[in-house]
Amino acid sequence: MALFGSSGIRGKLEEVTTELMMKIGRAVGQRYGRVVIGHDTRTSSQMLTFAFASGLLSAGSEATSVGLVSTPTLAYAARRFECGAMITASHNPPEYNGIKLWNPDGLAFQSDQRDEFEQLIQSENLKRAKWRELSTLLYQENAIREHIESILSKVGKSRLKVIVDCGNGATSSITPMVLEKMGCKVVGLNCNPDGYFTARGSEPTQNSLSLLRSAVRTLRANLGIAHDGDGDRMVAVDEKGNYVGGDRLLPLFATREVKNSLVVPVNASMVLDDILEGRKIWRSRVGDVYVGEDVKKREADFGGEPSGTWIFPRNGLFPDGVYAAARLVEIVSQKPLSLLLETIPSYPIFRGSLPIKGERGAVLEALRERIFELERVEVNTTDGWRLDFGDGWALIRASGTEPKLRITAEARKVSRAKEIYQSMNSIARKVIE
Ligand code: MG
């Protein structure tokens, strides 16, 4: 497998083995002397943590475990170390696991760092420390408390009744506590850490949150909050029990956070262009790593993805679902979520994919030629091709994990969105066949 994706190394346990994790530990230990490690609730997470720590120690590095924590908690803890390592497969099914590496400034490992480690891991010459140079595995218990205190210092009080669905994940030990300390009446749902993700799928989608939606209605709560397995994502349910996904929360947060500029990936809605007139919108590659990198580079006020990852620079350059939950509670304390969303337009969006049958490089080159022949369209090549037609746009991207072309189209009117989608689809189809 290609080892490092933009979200680190991730795969089923047959691929992400203890042997591989120990090698990664040795490679990280080759570069960094003080490393902090956290892990999520998966059944394999503790085993892989020890394998990784073992590799680190064998290189003569200091390894500190903060135990079971959310990914943002680990990313925040990394500020006191040379490197942070989170053993997690984010929202993937329970049989998966992986590792994501963090810099002390809160940014996940960038592409040049990932390339360097990809090579180091294959290397046969990793150092082995002598017996006199070895450290012990240290344990630190204050990572969650420090993360909570940092969040509480940045948000106000609230008296909302909130139902928090942690999906058996790593946020179980933090988000309910943060909201309670803000003054909320909190009801926890699926807040028992469980590596089988028994309660629901680890990805917080409209379907996987049916219990949360009905609980908000039945218990007459003001808001529902849901995380993915490791807590870098947050989505919501309004007081009526409606699912409010990342594509709806993104413009809501943007109107509150953005004074000068915003970073979103190329697949984010054009609603943002319409409601943030006069403010700069930077479009990055798809993936929270790229959004974070651009937030830093552009000194943007905020970065977010329709998938539900939120980067508030005043809190850190890492996506933090826990802070996002606290900030949303603060916003909803002024006005019910359904009313806040009434003022934000929602445009029709069509998504689909086509299988790539021929040789990938040749197909993409033919497609590129065809796209640049089109008239009266602005093409952004940050990630795939984003075609701007003025009254709508389309994105054609090759999937990073499957032999597929993904097509997205959005416009202010349904008929126009459909028309754009169909024309992109037929262009792509001709090239593929
Ligand atoms: Mg995640």
Side-chain angles (χ1 to χ4, degrees):
M1 77 182 151
L3 221 42
F4 268 95
S6 67
S7 313
I9 291 171
R10 211 181 279 176
K12 286 192 178 173
L13 215 55
E14 299 89 71
E15 298 167 318
V16 181
T17 58
T18 47
E19 288 81 0
L20 174 65
M21 210 45 102
M22 189 182 296
K23 252 195 169 168
I24 300 170
R26 291 182 66 196
V28 172
Q30 186 90 6
R31 282 281 174 280
Y32 302 106
R34 293 178 59 247
V35 181
V36 60
I37 315 164
H39 65 83
D40 71 9
T41 60
R42 288 163 198 274
T43 56
S44 58
S45 288
Q46 209 170 33
M47 172 185 86
L48 295 177
T49 295
F50 283 120
F52 177 76
S54 197
L56 269 179
L57 293 171
S58 77
S61 296
E62 242 179 50
T64 302
S65 167
V66 291
L68 174 56
V69 294
S70 73
T71 293
T73 305
L74 186 278
Y76 183 63
R79 77 198 181 286
R80 296 197 199 282
F81 294 82
E82 291 170 27
C83 172
M86 181 71 190
I87 310 291
T88 180
S90 189
H91 54 273
N92 284 43
E95 62 271 27
Y96 283 74
N97 217 327
I99 185 168
K100 194 166 179 177
L101 298 167
W102 298 89
N103 290 298
D105 66 356
L107 278 184
F109 267 31
Q110 308 293 294
S111 55
D112 52 335
Q113 290 178 296
R114 296 197 299 270
D115 292 346
E116 190 199 350
F117 273 87
E118 185 112 32
Q119 285 181 4
L120 264 183
I121 291 163
Q122 322 289 353
S123 153
E124 299 295 321
N125 306 318
L126 294 172
K127 74 177 172 198
R128 289 184 189 277
K130 304 229 166 48
W131 68 271
R132 279 183 189 282
E133 300 161 354
L134 298 177
S135 305
T136 52
L137 176 61
L138 306 170
Y139 291 90
Q140 224 174 63
E141 286 175 353
N142 54 1
I144 296 176
R145 186 173 49 80
E146 287 187 355
H147 188 200
I148 291 176
E149 281 168 8
S150 156
I151 293 172
L152 290 176
S153 72
K154 298 177 187 92
V155 292
K157 290 277 173 194
S158 168
R159 300 175 64 83
L160 294 188
K161 181 171 181 182
V162 187
I163 306 191
V164 183
D165 180 350
C166 294
N168 299 134
T171 50
S172 302
S173 59
I174 184 163
T175 304
M177 207 187 290
V178 167
L179 302 189
E180 236 159 59
K181 284 183 185 285
M182 286 174 73
C184 295
K185 187 169 187 322
V186 178
V187 179
L189 188 66
N190 308 321
C191 291
N192 52 321
D194 170 357
Y196 300 93
F197 299 130
T198 316
R200 63 162 167 89
S202 163
E203 190 169 8
T205 61
Q206 166 130 356
N207 287 335
S208 69
L209 299 181
S210 55
L211 188 60
L212 175 64
R213 288 188 283 131
S214 62
V216 167
R217 275 194 303 268
T218 312
L219 300 175
R220 296 174 190 279
N222 303 103
L223 181 67
I225 294 284
H227 292 296
D228 68 336
D230 68 327
D232 55 359
R233 292 191 185 189
M234 188 279 301
V235 297
V237 167
D238 73 14
E239 78 286 359
K240 293 176 178 165
N242 298 310
Y243 174 75
V244 182
D247 52 348
R248 296 293 284 149
L249 289 174
L250 181 48
L252 177 69
F253 277 136
T255 52
R256 300 298 185 287
E257 299 292 327
V258 180
K259 278 205 181 75
N260 301 306
S261 70
L262 164 75
V263 177
V264 290
V266 286
N267 62 355
S269 170
M270 66 188 292
V271 166
L272 295 163
D273 301 273
D274 290 0
I275 60 171
L276 295 178
E277 254 197 333
R279 286 166 276 186
K280 178 74 190 166
I281 300 175
W282 300 102
R283 293 194 183 266
S284 75
R285 291 181 64 186
V286 177
D288 63 83
V289 174
Y290 304 113
V291 175
E293 196 177 334
D294 279 5
V295 165
K296 182 177 183 177
K297 189 164 88 189
R298 309 294 186 185
E299 296 181 0
D301 302 307
F302 177 64
E305 286 198 296
S307 62
T309 57
W310 316 109
I311 297 172
F312 301 83
R314 85 171 84 84
N315 171 65
L317 292 169
F318 49 91
D320 190 343
V322 187
Y323 177 76
R327 181 72 182 107
L328 183 64
V329 163
E330 202 179 27
I331 294 169
V332 172
S333 296
Q334 313 292 321
K335 209 182 204 183
L337 183 53
S338 70
L339 293 181
L340 288 167
L341 292 171
E342 261 177 19
T343 60
I344 296 173
S346 168
Y347 300 149
I349 193 156
F350 290 88
R351 291 191 176 94
S353 63
L354 290 171
I356 299 178
K357 286 175 193 145
E359 200 268 315
R360 184 185 156 107
V363 167
L364 293 181
E365 181 50 33
L367 188 58
R368 194 189 69 83
E369 274 176 25
R370 186 68 195 85
I371 283 171
F372 280 94
E373 282 166 16
L374 296 172
E375 283 169 16
R376 288 187 298 277
V377 57
E378 212 177 284
V379 184
N380 176 331
T381 57
T382 305
D383 195 352
W385 298 279
R386 189 184 194 278
L387 294 85
D388 196 334
F389 299 94
D391 59 348
W393 60 275
L395 177 71
I396 307 186
R397 260 180 94 225
S399 160
T401 50
E402 295 167 286
K404 275 182 180 171
L405 273 182
R406 297 196 190 285
I407 303 172
T408 311
E410 184 190 36
R412 292 185 190 90
K413 292 203 174 88
V414 180
S415 56
R416 180 65 177 136
K418 205 177 272 177
E419 185 184 25
I420 293 175
Y421 182 81
Q422 277 161 356
S423 75
M424 291 304 115
N425 197 57
S426 74
I427 288 174
R429 208 175 273 274
K430 270 181 206 140
V431 173
I432 281 172
E433 279 157 9

